[in-house]
Amino acid sequence: MSTIAAISSPIGAGGIGIVRVSGENALKIADAIFSFAHKTQADGERNTRQTWQPLFMNFGTFCAEDFKDVGYAVYFPAKNAYTGEDTVEFYLHGGVRIMKGALDTLLKNGAVMAKNGEFTKRAFLNGRLSLADAEGVIDMINAESAAGLRAAYRLMEGDVAKRINFILDKLEVLIATIEATLDYPDEMEDEVLPNIESNINEILGKVEDLLAGAKNGKIAKYGLTVALAGNPNAGKSSLMNALLKENRAIVTPVAGTTRDTVEDSFEYDGVKITLVDTAGIRESDDLVESEGIERAKRAIDTADVVLHVIDMTADEKDDIDFDGKLVFEVYNKCDLLCGDTARKEQARGGERTKFFVSAKTGEGVEDIAKAIAALFKEDKVQGGELITSNRHVSALYEAKRALESAFASKDSTLDLLLVDLSDAYNALGEITGKTATEDVVDSIFSRFCVGK
């Protein structure tokens, strides 16, 4: 493969910028453009020379075509490199012009421009990481919460791939045994057939264990969406501002101030929580307000949790039907009506949790954030793996269906059983990359930035 180069740090002015070159000629190119500040002289030699010691940070001068810069260069031999091939990284001053000039110099000395995610793609192709590990890398970069980072780290470190490979190994043995039975029925059948049912059942159980972590995995990666709903002037916008701890939504005494959904996010206890403030739900002849009410209903339908905000000072209570959604009843404006005992009261019943709060003073508001974050029970899945990728979930369901079909046909002909088991193997192999098509691989790495 060609020797590739790219800027690996964000574009813009900064203290340090990183340019990376990887491939067969990486060291040759680096040696031509980077001069060590301290060179060595062997016994008997008249001239000094620079020796690239692996994994050593060398201080020196980067010689671009029209400027020079002082910085550091590190040589990673193939066995130690992220990509699995010789790599050199340059750490220079992080100016836009410096980075562009350094990259141009690498390209003029024989490197070619790297494509999106090509460094990580080469790591995959060279066996340094699995396809699932690579997806963990992009998830680490894009994570927006501590829970998302922890899940991405486990994926990047190969924990999911190890679980999948363990299942694949068991499937390989089972498939090979059945193939041997078909080829040598007299020698193998009596020994193999009694184990098929238990083996399929065990493998199916492990696939179902991984799928069980998909719901929490989705929360870890994307967070929870929470819609604030209720009558006009119930204090939804004030509650949103109190949860965010900033004035994000407009608040006035006029009922119907919020005409459209307003969205913002915050992190609590490691979990990303996205709040969607909605228009007050009521009958209205105003076309603009009516459209806002329809949008409010759509936001409620797609939310993970609904905060039903109720004005405790109002004479009339709303009768909004949330159609089976997970609802937290939030009784607001307790500072105007309730005593200390009522303000601090919390009662739980079925799927509904009641909170007595004051969005104005902030009392009781943190209890709501705590209850929302508690919906992500990561403590229950620390021993297993969170499945955060929709691609992985789809592959696991495909494998589950194939295994269920195999289990149902365990007493039928072995060649039909072999088809189902092979389908399960191919589905699971797409997660690690063992059976992934070139289009799938290209699609995954196209999501990366250039330089990673």
Side-chain angles (χ1 to χ4, degrees):
M1 291 186 286
S2 57
T3 299
I4 56 174
I7 300 169
S8 291
S9 52
I11 301 299
I16 297 174
I18 303 172
V19 183
R20 173 188 287 171
V21 58
S22 179
E24 183 180 1
N25 296 319
L27 191 58
K28 178 182 177 182
I29 294 171
D31 197 52
I33 61 178
F34 191 84
S35 178
F36 291 4
H38 304 287
K39 299 182 180 181
T40 59
Q41 183 175 14
D43 292 340
E45 290 185 354
R46 299 179 62 183
N47 299 318
T48 58
R49 58 189 174 88
Q50 59 187 37
T51 302
W52 290 83
Q53 181 179 342
L55 310 180
F56 186 82
M57 186 165 274
N58 302 284
F59 178 71
T61 302
F62 188 99
C63 301
E65 185 176 9
D66 55 356
F67 69 88
K68 293 182 179 181
D69 188 22
V70 292
Y72 294 89
V74 180
Y75 163 53
F76 301 90
K79 65 178 181 179
N80 302 117
Y82 175 71
T83 59
E85 56 191 20
D86 284 355
T87 302
V88 180
E89 291 183 353
F90 301 95
Y91 305 87
L92 308 174
H93 291 103
V96 175
R97 183 62 178 82
I98 294 173
M99 289 290 99
K100 184 179 183 302
L103 177 59
D104 287 344
T105 301
L106 291 171
L107 299 180
K108 288 177 180 177
N109 278 270
V112 298
M113 187 66 193
K115 300 176 183 177
N116 288 50
E118 191 168 1
F119 292 101
T120 305
K121 184 176 181 179
R122 292 193 176 195
F124 163 67
L125 294 175
N126 290 323
R128 302 290 289 180
L129 43 74
S130 75
L131 199 57
D133 301 345
E135 290 174 286
V137 173
I138 193 65
D139 283 356
M140 283 289 293
I141 294 170
N142 293 331
E144 297 182 349
S145 67
L149 281 171
R150 289 192 291 268
Y153 181 79
R154 290 198 292 272
L155 182 61
M156 182 182 67
E157 287 295 284
D159 291 353
V160 170
K162 289 174 186 174
R163 293 278 295 275
I164 296 296
N165 283 329
F166 180 80
I167 299 172
L168 287 172
D169 288 344
K170 285 189 168 294
L171 272 172
E172 280 183 356
V173 172
L174 186 56
I175 289 171
T177 305
I178 293 175
E179 287 176 338
T181 302
L182 290 170
D183 291 338
Y184 308 100
D186 295 335
E187 293 86 347
M188 298 291 293
E189 187 170 1
D190 291 339
E191 180 180 343
V192 174
L193 288 179
N195 295 321
I196 290 180
E197 182 176 349
S198 60
N199 283 335
I200 295 176
N201 202 35
E202 179 187 358
I203 294 169
L204 180 58
K206 293 187 181 300
V207 170
E208 289 173 338
D209 287 344
L210 285 169
L211 279 170
K215 183 177 181 180
N216 272 341
K218 178 178 178 290
I219 296 174
K221 186 172 183 177
Y222 301 107
L224 285 159
T225 301
V226 180
L228 292 87
N231 275 349
N233 211 26
K236 299 182 296 297
S237 298
S238 296
L239 180 60
M240 179 178 186
N241 291 340
L243 285 164
L244 293 172
K245 297 182 179 179
E246 62 174 286
N247 291 324
R248 174 67 176 85
I250 298 173
V251 177
T252 74
V254 180
T257 297
T258 302
R259 295 294 187 98
D260 199 355
T261 56
V262 179
E263 184 175 314
D264 208 341
S265 302
F266 70 106
E267 184 178 337
Y268 189 90
D269 200 18
V271 180
K272 179 186 176 185
I273 301 172
T274 299
L275 300 175
V276 183
D277 186 20
T278 67
I281 297 176
R282 64 178 176 181
E283 295 294 329
S284 175
D285 295 328
D286 186 301
L287 289 177
V288 177
E289 186 177 9
S290 295
E291 175 60 26
I293 292 170
E294 288 304 312
R295 294 188 182 191
K297 292 177 180 178
R298 289 197 292 270
I300 292 168
D301 287 341
T302 58
D304 298 303
V305 185
V306 176
L307 298 186
H308 181 200
V309 185
I310 301 166
D311 181 357
M312 289 198 70
T313 66
D315 294 330
E316 295 183 5
K317 307 302 181 186
D318 63 58
D319 56 352
I320 304 172
D321 182 8
F322 295 107
D323 194 24
K325 301 292 292 187
L326 177 58
V327 178
F328 288 177
E329 303 264 11
V330 180
Y331 293 87
N332 189 29
K333 304 185 183 181
C334 282
D335 56 306
L336 301 178
L337 186 65
C338 304
D340 289 343
T341 301
R343 279 204 301 270
K344 296 176 181 178
E345 177 187 352
Q346 285 193 5
R348 187 179 298 271
E351 282 195 338
R352 296 194 167 216
T353 301
K354 294 182 180 180
F355 296 89
F356 295 86
V357 307
S358 169
K360 181 179 180 180
T361 66
E363 188 169 353
V365 171
E366 188 168 352
D367 292 330
I368 299 173
K370 188 181 298 183
I372 295 170
L375 295 173
F376 174 60
K377 303 182 185 302
E378 191 182 18
D379 57 313
K380 292 189 176 181
V381 292
Q382 289 286 4
E385 302 312 323
L386 289 176
I387 302 300
T388 59
S389 166
N390 289 332
R391 188 181 77 85
H392 297 177
V393 172
S394 177
L396 285 166
Y397 272 117
E398 187 177 343
K400 181 175 182 287
R401 286 190 293 269
L403 289 166
E404 287 173 340
S405 177
F407 190 83
S409 60
K410 61 185 181 297
D411 297 324
S412 62
T413 60
L414 290 180
D415 54 346
L416 291 177
L417 183 63
L418 190 59
V419 170
D420 287 329
L421 294 176
S422 297
D423 286 345
Y425 183 92
N426 290 332
L428 293 172
E430 285 196 1
I431 295 176
T432 62
K434 278 189 175 182
T435 61
T437 64
E438 186 175 345
D439 288 342
V440 170
V441 173
D442 289 343
S443 174
I444 289 171
F445 288 106
S446 68
R447 295 161 45 208
F448 282 65
C449 58
V450 174
K452 185 55 183 174

